[in-house]
Amino acid sequence: MRQHTIGESDGFTLLEILIVLVLVGIFTTLAVVQHSTSDATLIAQTEILKSHLRYAQARSIDSDVHWGIYYHYNGADPTDSYYLLFNGGNLTNIRQLPGETRDRVNLGEMAIKLGASIGPNPPTPRTFQIAFDGWGRPASPQLDPSGPGSYTFKLTKIGHTAQQFVVTQNTGYID
């Protein structure tokens, strides 16, 4: 059995306690900053857009008619940026999206921008459309004038972490 002498202790020193408190404070700050840069609205809208794309894809496969999503970006008035569902490869055949009360989803009202591109190009907000064929494969002449590739979609909101997903060209897989 060990004998304790005066001035000897098995506890923590004040310096060790301060170091631990500083480290806990740093990790807490990092967690709060990372959490605050992800917006629940942005994350939810990304998932909603993915489900709307899957809906258009499923309708194309079921009906053997092209269904797609058209995105309108108004650079002069970003609050007037929206996407909608169309069929028959024709933008005059607008259909209501499931779960929506209007025929369009106004991303601009939520201060969200949608960018899309193919291949290595970074997604930028602009007007485009993507439709699916009877096999569920995506096609978009605005995004892909030169040939096959995967489509990258990116939703952004100032001050928040961007959300991104890919629609694979030859399979139509939406990750």
Side-chain angles (χ1 to χ4, degrees):
M1 183 167 199
R2 185 173 165 201
Q3 296 282 330
H4 289 280
T5 59
I6 298 177
E8 189 178 327
S9 171
D10 288 336
F12 297 106
T13 67
L14 181 59
L15 180 62
E16 291 170 328
I17 292 173
L18 287 175
I19 289 173
V20 168
L21 288 175
V22 167
L23 288 174
V24 167
I26 290 171
F27 291 134
T28 303
T29 303
L30 290 174
V32 168
V33 168
Q34 185 171 3
H35 177 70
S36 67
T37 59
S38 64
D39 181 15
T41 304
L42 185 61
I43 294 167
Q45 196 57 51
T46 302
E47 294 304 315
I48 290 169
L49 175 58
K50 287 165 58 173
S51 70
H52 287 157
L53 284 166
R54 288 183 185 116
Y55 177 77
Q57 184 180 44
R59 294 297 305 259
S60 295
I61 293 169
D62 289 344
S63 65
D64 206 24
V65 173
H66 285 89
W67 284 72
I69 297 289
Y70 168 78
Y71 175 67
H72 171 78
Y73 175 69
N74 186 344
D77 181 11
T79 62
D80 182 36
S81 300
Y82 59 87
Y83 70 87
L84 52 83
L85 176 71
F86 68 93
N87 74 345
N90 187 338
L91 290 175
T92 59
N93 295 329
I94 297 171
R95 303 290 182 234
Q96 188 155 341
L97 287 157
E100 299 297 329
T101 57
R102 298 183 290 181
D103 67 350
R104 62 189 64 197
V105 176
N106 194 328
L107 295 176
E109 289 176 347
M110 297 176 265
I112 296 173
K113 293 181 183 175
L114 173 61
S117 67
I118 188 146
N121 302 324
T124 57
R126 61 181 169 162
T127 298
F128 66 87
Q129 70 187 42
I130 181 168
F132 296 92
D133 66 13
W135 292 93
R137 297 175 297 202
S140 174
Q142 294 109 334
L143 296 178
D144 184 18
S146 61
S150 293
Y151 300 84
T152 302
F153 292 86
K154 184 176 183 180
L155 285 88
T156 57
K157 187 173 182 178
I158 294 174
H160 300 280
T161 305
Q163 299 295 308
Q164 188 167 302
F165 65 93
V166 175
V167 179
T168 307
Q169 172 64 22
N170 294 321
T171 63
Y173 175 72
I174 302 169
D175 75 0

